[in-house]
Amino acid sequence: MRRIICMALLCCLLVLPVCAAGEESYLALTFDDGPSGRFTSRLLDGLAEREVHATFFLCGYRVEQYPELTARIAREGHEIGTHGYAHKFFSALSAKDVCCDLEKAQRCIEDAGGGQPTLLRPPGGIYDSKVLQQSVCADLPVVLWSVDPEDWRRSDSGAVAADIIREAKNGDVILLHDMSDSSVDAALRVIDELTAQGFRFVTVSELAALSGTQLQGGQVYHRFSFAKNDSISKREAETEPCTKPGFPPPLPRSASFIARQSPRRSPSRVPMAY
Ligand code: ZN
């Protein structure tokens, strides 16, 4: 009898990790407005220590100031999206100025060694039809967020972390900014706590791929659903076809980065030229 009980316990021990692996939940941490000369390095150190990859939506004018941080973000396997060049709200710009801002940001990121941005997050999360049109032409899916602790206006890292930990669920995209010590502290605390709860942190493109979502330019994503029949929040672009080839030519991304990303392919990865 004792032998049977021992065998049963052994079977449970062997099976449990498989069950746990099948029930893993995934989250994407995203950081806007950087890179920051004061805060991004410490964040990158903390992410590396925890072997976590995040997604950075970089501002072109800051990339110009901190090209070495931009290169480091890419080199360490994080995903880079564009947050535009000047952090102007696109709703206040003409279509031509939106195009110019995105082109300039893209060129800055590539020149700094950050590779080609894979995603677009418009400043303030504000978009309209002209932004979606650029998103189609540049094949840059618009990625917003589903958890926003408003870290940019709070200095209590514990409160920011607590809000995220309470709200986060499988498939969520979490908005933070690598622009203060409290935001960095909150991010690292969230990783430690939610990892202990069984969550895994991945980049936005990885989260999309894990959920079976094919990211597409011209669509807006807030989170990714892992439940069947649960519609993903997205919006189709209402645009004219892209007719003009743009610039600059794509730069090759590092092999390790490409290997970690979803196999999204497009012949055109540039804002529409005017
Ligand atoms: Zn921003």
Side-chain angles (χ1 to χ4, degrees):
M1 185 63 182
R2 187 177 293 171
R3 184 181 289 177
I4 292 171
I5 293 171
C6 287
M7 288 293 288
L9 282 172
L10 184 62
C11 285
C12 284
L13 287 173
L14 289 172
V15 168
L16 272 176
V18 175
C19 295
E23 294 165 1
E24 254 174 350
S25 295
Y26 299 93
L27 298 168
L29 279 173
T30 66
F31 297 93
D32 286 13
D33 296 357
S36 158
R38 285 183 62 189
F39 308 109
T40 303
S41 288
R42 189 165 74 84
L43 174 62
L44 290 172
D45 291 345
L47 294 174
E49 202 176 299
R50 291 160 177 79
E51 298 184 341
V52 162
H53 291 111
T55 302
F56 289 79
F57 289 95
L58 303 179
C59 286
Y61 79 95
R62 287 191 160 271
V63 168
E64 283 181 338
Q65 292 172 19
Y66 304 108
E68 70 292 344
L69 281 172
T70 303
R72 182 182 168 191
I73 291 168
R75 193 170 60 242
E76 297 188 358
H78 304 290
E79 183 166 22
I80 291 181
T82 177
H83 202 41
Y85 178 82
H87 205 275
K88 290 179 180 168
F89 290 163
F90 289 155
S91 54
L93 300 182
S94 67
K96 182 178 179 181
D97 286 344
V98 170
C99 176
C100 290
D101 186 271
L102 286 173
E103 281 180 347
K104 199 171 175 183
Q106 185 165 322
R107 190 185 294 161
C108 289
I109 292 168
E110 293 184 0
D111 286 352
Q116 199 170 50
T118 50
L119 309 165
L120 165 62
R121 178 173 285 165
I126 299 167
Y127 66 91
D128 54 18
S129 59
K130 62 179 179 285
V131 174
L132 291 177
Q133 183 160 27
Q134 290 299 329
S135 162
V136 170
C137 297
D139 189 26
L140 288 171
V142 175
V143 174
L144 302 183
W145 56 84
S146 52
V147 177
D148 176 10
E150 300 190 345
D151 63 309
W152 55 273
R153 65 175 186 83
R154 303 160 79 188
S155 57
D156 183 344
S157 64
V160 169
D163 282 357
I164 297 171
I165 290 164
R166 188 181 61 252
E167 287 184 33
K169 54 194 178 301
N170 195 16
D172 271 334
V173 177
I174 299 165
L175 170 64
L176 286 166
H177 302 75
D178 48 331
M179 302 301 288
S180 70
D181 274 322
S182 61
S183 290
V184 174
D185 290 341
L188 300 181
R189 188 181 298 198
V190 163
I191 291 170
D192 292 341
E193 175 65 29
L194 292 183
T195 299
Q197 290 185 22
F199 284 93
R200 278 190 58 199
F201 289 89
V202 295
T203 66
V204 167
S205 286
E206 288 170 336
L207 188 63
L210 284 164
S211 73
T213 304
Q214 181 85 22
L215 288 171
Q216 293 176 31
Q219 293 191 343
V220 182
Y221 303 85
H222 297 263
R223 64 182 304 276
F224 298 93
S225 174
F226 284 75
K228 285 177 183 167
N229 303 322
D230 183 4
S231 62
I232 296 164
S233 179
K234 63 186 182 184
R235 175 182 160 183
E236 297 275 352
E238 298 163 1
T239 63
E240 298 294 319
C242 311
T243 53
K244 294 182 180 179
F247 88 101
L251 293 176
R253 292 197 279 168
S254 74
S256 61
F257 184 74
I258 290 170
R260 293 186 47 253
Q261 301 305 307
S262 61
R264 194 166 63 83
R265 286 264 181 274
S266 169
S268 169
R269 275 283 194 82
V270 291
M272 187 168 71
Y274 280 85

